[in-house]
Amino acid sequence: MQKKTGGDCPLCLKKAAFVAAFFLPLNFLLAQTKTFTADVGFVPQMGGAFKTNQRNYFYVGREKKLVILDDSLRITQTIQLLNETAAIDFADLNGDGSDELIEFTQAAIFRRNFLNEKFSEPHAIIHERLALPLYVENLEQSHLAIDYDKDGFYDLFLPAEGKFVVYHNDAGKRFRKETTLAYKPHGSFTNRLWQNSDLPSNTIRSTVLIPQPMFHDFNNDGIVDAAARIDERIYYFMSGGKNLKPFAETILKIYPIAQEDIYVAYAEFCDFDNDGELDLIYSAVKGLGLNIRVEIRVFKSYNFIPEPRRVIEHTIQGGVFSPLIASLRGRKLLLQPTIDTGIGFFMNYILRSRVSLTLQLIDPLTTKGNPLEKTTLSFDSKESAVPGFAYGDFTGDGKTDFILGTEINGITVYGGNDDLSKKEIAHIDAPAYGIFKTVTDAKKESWLFIFMTQRSKADKKTAVYLAPIDRLANAH
C-alpha cells in the first residue's frame, strides 16, 4: 500500500517508464489525440499531479517556484515556496477530497490548503527537527504522507536524525506524535537513497536525496508496514503487539551492495513467485562508456521479509535505464530497457541519427543470464538526447502498455502482448524529449503529462504538454 496522490502510474525508473498489452486488427489506423499545451515561462525541472474532488491538477517547478495548472493546462497560480523548504508533497490532510501542498523544512512542516483553484499561504502544523538538507535549489517531491489507519486522513512518516517519527492525523484537526522508530545510521544522513521507483528513468535527479520509506502490508495482517533503506541496510517497521499496532516491531536486514560508480539506483517490492509474500528487487546502473550495465539482485521473501541470503543475481550489459515490473504472461516479470553501447550504437548514432532501444524480458527468479524475449524499437536520436517514456495499463486488460518518444515531435503508444511484438495503437503530437508522467481522471481514462522538454542544453523549451491516452481496447 504505497501512497500515491499525483500520478496513478509508478513511473519509475517509482519511480518513469513503459510496457505492454493487447491484440488489434492489422488494418487498425493509429489514433490521433488532441494535446493541450501551456508556456510556463521557464524550463521546469520538477513536476507532477495532484487531485481535488476527483479532478487532476498539475504543477511544474524550478528552484523554489511552482506553477499550478488545471486539467486543460490553464495556469491558475504561481507560488513562491518558503526559502527553507527542502521537499514537498501533496496529500488530503483534512479529508475534504482535495490534496493540500505540504512543505518540509528542517525545523517544521507547513501546509497550504487548496480552495478556488489556489493554494493558501503556508501555516505550520508540526514542529520537529528533521534530517533534511539545509540548502536545496530544485526540490524533490517526497512520499512521506500515508493514511496508515485508513481513516480518510493522511498521516506523516518523517525522517529525523537516527529515527523516523510518525505523526497521526486526528481528523484533520491536529497532528499527534504516535511513535518514534529508531535506527543506527552510518555517516551523513543526506547521502542516502531509499527508493525512487515511482520516478521515470530519464528524470534529472536532484543532488539532494530525501530518505523515502515504502509502505506495504508485508505480513498480510491488514495493517500497513514500512521499510526504509539506511546505507546498505533495510529497516522494516512491522505491525505487531496484542492490538497489531502499526510500525510496532523493528526488523533489520543487511543487504551488502557495492556502491561504486552507481549513477541510478532502483528498489521495489513485488510478489514474483505468487507465494503471497513480497520479494525485493534492487538494481543499479553502473559503469561508464562501453562498460555500462545493470546489476540486478532479487531477494526472495522468507517469513514475510526478503532474505539477504536468498539472492538471485542478473547482469544486463548496455543498461541505461532501470528494470520495470511488468504484468505479462499471467505473472510478474522484469522488463529491462537497454541501449546498445557498443560499435552498433556509434554507427547508428553517427551515420543514421537513430538509436535502437531493446526491451529484454527477464524472469527474475531464475539464474539464467539470457532474457526470455527481446524486441527492438528505434527512435530519433538527434541532439544526442534520450527520449522520454512511461508505462502502465492504459487499455484496461491487466497487462502493461508503454509509451516512447519515437520522433523529434512524436510519441508512440505501444500496446504490447506476451511476446513483446510491437503494436502501435496511438500517436501523440508532442515533444519526444522530456519527462513523461501518467495520471488517470475521474472516468479512469489515462493522460500523459510532459515537461522538461529539452533535446539539448541549447534547446530550452518552456512549454508543458498534456495528451489523452485513448482506451483503444474498449473500441475493439
Side-chain angles (χ1 to χ4, degrees):
M1 174 181 169
Q2 187 174 359
K3 172 256 179 183
K4 288 297 285 184
T5 61
D8 293 301
C9 164
L11 263 87
C12 346
L13 359 78
K14 214 247 167 185
K15 235 37 182 246
F18 49 103
V19 172
F22 68 89
F23 296 94
L24 293 175
L26 292 178
N27 60 355
F28 175 67
L29 298 179
L30 298 186
Q32 297 295 321
T33 59
K34 178 183 177 182
T35 301
F36 297 107
T37 183
D39 193 325
V40 296
F42 58 90
V43 179
Q45 293 193 339
M46 64 175 295
F50 61 94
K51 288 185 180 295
T52 177
N53 296 321
Q54 302 300 314
R55 183 181 176 188
N56 286 319
Y57 279 77
F58 300 88
Y59 70 93
V60 290
R62 186 181 182 91
E63 298 178 349
K64 297 299 177 69
K65 179 172 69 174
L66 292 185
V67 171
I68 309 299
L69 308 102
D70 66 11
D71 52 9
S72 64
L73 289 196
R74 178 178 61 90
I75 296 176
T76 63
Q77 187 181 15
T78 298
I79 299 175
Q80 189 64 42
L81 299 173
L82 299 171
N83 289 332
E84 60 270 25
T85 295
I88 63 171
D89 204 354
F90 294 86
D92 184 2
L93 297 178
N94 58 13
D96 66 353
S98 295
D99 287 343
E100 297 160 62
L101 172 58
I102 310 169
E103 297 186 48
F104 298 91
T105 73
Q106 279 199 330
I109 311 298
F110 296 82
R111 70 192 280 183
R112 295 175 185 255
N113 297 324
F114 191 72
L115 183 64
N116 296 326
E117 298 190 318
K118 291 186 178 181
F119 285 106
S120 66
E121 292 298 311
H123 59 278
I125 54 175
I126 293 174
H127 293 277
E128 180 78 51
R129 183 68 178 174
L130 301 181
L132 299 176
L134 276 172
Y135 305 104
V136 183
E137 290 186 357
N138 293 301
L139 299 177
E140 294 183 10
Q141 182 177 352
S142 69
H143 295 281
L144 303 176
I146 172 72
D147 182 10
Y148 66 80
D149 56 355
K150 302 177 183 178
D151 64 353
F153 299 91
Y154 275 90
D155 313 293
L156 295 173
F157 196 100
L158 303 174
E161 190 67 47
K163 61 187 176 182
F164 284 93
V165 183
V166 181
Y167 276 84
H168 183 262
N169 183 351
D170 291 340
K173 298 178 181 178
R174 69 186 183 100
F175 286 84
R176 170 176 45 84
K177 185 180 290 189
E178 180 78 10
T179 188
T180 298
L181 309 170
Y183 61 84
K184 296 179 180 180
H186 291 167
S188 171
F189 189 87
T190 57
N191 289 333
R192 297 184 198 95
L193 171 68
W194 163 231
Q195 63 91 11
N196 52 21
S197 60
D198 61 338
L199 295 176
S201 295
N202 57 342
T203 296
I204 304 300
R205 285 176 175 74
S206 169
T207 55
V208 177
L209 302 177
I210 306 299
Q212 304 278 11
M214 296 186 77
F215 303 104
H216 296 281
D217 180 8
F218 288 102
N219 53 10
N220 297 323
D221 62 4
I223 299 178
V224 70
D225 311 303
R229 175 185 165 202
I230 309 296
D231 304 306
E232 76 280 8
R233 302 169 294 178
I234 295 181
Y235 286 83
Y236 295 87
F237 306 107
M238 311 287 287
S239 54
K242 295 182 179 179
N243 298 319
L244 292 179
K245 186 177 180 180
F247 317 124
E249 183 181 6
T250 301
I251 300 173
L252 170 65
K253 291 289 183 179
I254 305 295
Y255 299 83
I257 299 173
Q259 299 296 304
E260 74 278 0
D261 68 4
I262 291 177
Y263 65 91
V264 172
Y266 169 95
E268 183 63 285
F269 291 96
C270 183
D271 183 7
F272 290 108
D273 51 7
N274 294 317
D275 65 351
E277 299 187 14
L278 294 172
D279 310 301
L280 170 65
I281 173 176
Y282 179 89
S283 69
V285 180
K286 307 177 72 173
L288 297 172
L290 301 181
N291 193 36
I292 293 178
R293 64 200 183 279
V294 177
E295 294 187 2
I296 302 170
R297 295 189 181 187
V298 180
F299 301 94
K300 294 186 65 176
S301 183
Y302 178 72
N303 286 338
F304 303 113
I305 300 295
E307 173 55 54
R309 290 170 293 185
R310 304 180 69 187
V311 61
I312 301 167
E313 299 184 63
H314 300 268
T315 297
I316 305 296
Q317 294 298 319
V320 177
F321 309 104
S322 296
L324 313 167
I325 297 176
S327 297
L328 293 167
R329 298 186 177 177
R331 57 170 301 187
K332 298 291 186 181
L333 297 169
L334 292 179
L335 190 66
Q336 177 61 62
T338 63
I339 296 176
D340 180 21
T341 56
I343 299 299
F345 168 80
F346 292 103
M347 292 293 291
N348 279 314
Y349 173 68
I350 294 174
L351 299 180
R352 303 182 182 90
S353 292
R354 304 287 290 181
V355 170
S356 295
L357 179 73
T358 300
L359 305 180
Q360 304 187 44
L361 188 61
I362 302 169
D363 185 342
L365 297 183
T366 67
T367 57
K368 182 173 60 177
N370 295 324
L372 301 175
E373 301 283 353
K374 290 185 179 181
T375 191
T376 300
L377 304 171
S378 291
F379 57 85
D380 204 318
S381 65
K382 293 178 181 177
E383 306 282 354
S384 70
V386 176
F389 58 87
Y391 76 105
D393 181 11
F394 308 122
T395 58
D397 64 352
K399 299 180 182 178
T400 310
D401 312 302
F402 65 92
I403 300 170
L404 175 66
T406 49
E407 306 168 14
I408 292 292
N409 291 299
I411 299 167
T412 301
V413 182
Y414 292 93
N417 42 53
D418 288 346
D419 63 358
L420 290 183
S421 61
K422 292 175 281 189
K423 297 290 183 181
E424 301 181 10
I425 62 174
H427 186 81
I428 296 172
D429 293 324
Y433 302 109
I435 295 177
F436 296 175
K437 292 191 176 183
T438 59
V439 297
T440 57
D441 60 19
K443 298 179 180 179
K444 304 300 182 183
E445 295 177 347
S446 298
W447 293 74
L448 180 66
F449 181 54
I450 307 167
F451 64 95
M452 199 175 174
T453 55
Q454 289 182 260
R455 295 203 307 264
S456 69
K457 291 182 179 179
D459 182 20
K460 300 182 183 297
K461 298 286 186 181
T462 61
V464 297
Y465 303 81
L466 180 65
I469 306 168
D470 291 342
R471 294 178 64 84
L472 299 175
N474 295 335
H476 298 272

